[in-house]
Amino acid sequence: MKTTAAPAKTKTDSPVVAALNLFLADSYALLANTHQAHWNVEGPGFFALHNAFQSQYENLFTAVDEIAERIRALDAYAIGGLRAFAKEAGLEEFPVGAVSGKDYVAGLIFAHEKTLADATVLRDAAGAANDLETQDLAIGRIQWHQKTIWMLKSYLKSV
Amino acid sequence: MAKNFLLSHPAAVSIACPLNAELAVLDQLLAALAAPGEETGLDLALDLRWELMQRVEAESVLAIFFRLQAVVGDRHYLACYRLRRALETTLRAAVRCNRREPAQIVTLRLDVAHIPALRRRIASIFSNQEATLTHVTFRFRDLPVLSGN
């Protein structure tokens, strides 16, 4: 049965695999930042933010596995290790110590926006390579990041 | 080839610099402050932009930033946060604990309300050192950082 995917671009320097690995790094680094926010958030809105951050990092934990296994399905290797993820992603990290809930939310919006931008690049790279399966994965993640950004921004609005 | 594709993509600008330089961030806030009822904030943001362009008086930058944050921070929290993080990258404190020693350069955390609070936070870092005087001045980044707060 013929699939819609082009013959797999199995080299790690293919645009699709490079974009997948960057997106993997972003997602893992964002997971770590979200997890730290979940642990350390304090003050008004604690329960709402603590639970929201948990829901977000749980989603990201599932997602990084899907992204990495997609890389493997393309017969390439996924990057790994905290140092490699942090360096590749380049996301700002939260300081150790007290950080306001609003600052956690604002910082995570930053990180989601950067991750979303890289997911967009992945989507377009996959489309250009006629890799509709990877493109589908990217589109799903784009939708989730867009929704999460909307929810985080809503928290910051003063009404 | 893969990196060329990635860097040429329209989204690559945000990939390279997700927090933006302080002027670009400030311009985004200025666009939001062009609405009716935001005249005070707009004036402060324009003053801040002027000071940042001059890059002479770091303490003036901080003073105006804190006033701007007080006026518009509730309505424009995300923009103020971006601006705060950009300024934390740009500005440093020079701390002299006694006249015989050279100043130590430290990074800033600007999640405070005004300059006196910032000075107290910085002074508290050095409170365990033998100091006759903790003198804090602010400057634009141009020296290696020795410690942070």
Side-chain angles (χ1 to χ4, degrees), chain A residues 102 156-158, chain B residues 33 37-38 41 70-78:
Chain A
K102 282 182 147 185
L156 291 180
K157 278 196 171 182
S158 60
Chain B
L33 294 176
E38 298 277 20
V71 171
V72 307
D74 274 349
R75 295 184 302 286
H76 302 281
Y77 192 92
L78 191 56

Side-chain angles (χ1 to χ4, degrees), chain A residues 78-116:
Chain A
I79 68 169
L82 294 176
R83 189 180 301 131
F85 282 140
K87 184 181 176 188
E88 187 72 10
L91 295 182
E92 282 282 326
E93 296 184 348
F94 294 115
V96 176
V99 175
S100 71
K102 282 182 147 185
D103 274 7
Y104 276 129
V105 171
L108 288 175
I109 290 171
F110 259 124
H112 275 281
E113 288 179 340
K114 194 268 186 187
T115 306
L116 175 63

Side-chain angles (χ1 to χ4, degrees), chain A residues 25-35 57 60 89 91 107-108 111-112 115 144-145:
Chain A
D26 286 340
S27 300
Y28 215 104
L30 177 55
L31 185 166
N33 285 359
T34 307
H35 214 168
Y57 78 67
L60 286 161
L91 295 182
L108 288 175
H112 275 281
T115 306
W144 183 80
H145 285 289

Side-chain angles (χ1 to χ4, degrees), chain A residues 92 98 103 110 113 118 124, chain B residues 9 15 19 77 84-85:
Chain A
E92 282 282 326
D103 274 7
F110 259 124
E113 288 179 340
D118 288 340
D124 294 348
Chain B
H9 193 279
I15 295 170
L19 287 181
Y77 192 92
R84 176 173 15 122
R85 295 307 305 272

Side-chain angles (χ1 to χ4, degrees), chain A residues 42-83:
Chain A
E42 298 176 301
F46 165 79
F47 288 105
L49 290 178
H50 181 75
N51 292 335
F53 294 153
Q54 178 169 348
S55 172
Q56 289 163 21
Y57 78 67
E58 287 175 345
N59 179 290
L60 286 161
F61 189 75
T62 301
V64 294
D65 209 48
E66 290 175 0
I67 298 164
E69 291 184 348
R70 181 60 194 163
I71 295 170
R72 297 298 293 129
L74 293 177
D75 202 24
Y77 288 102
I79 68 169
L82 294 176
R83 189 180 301 131

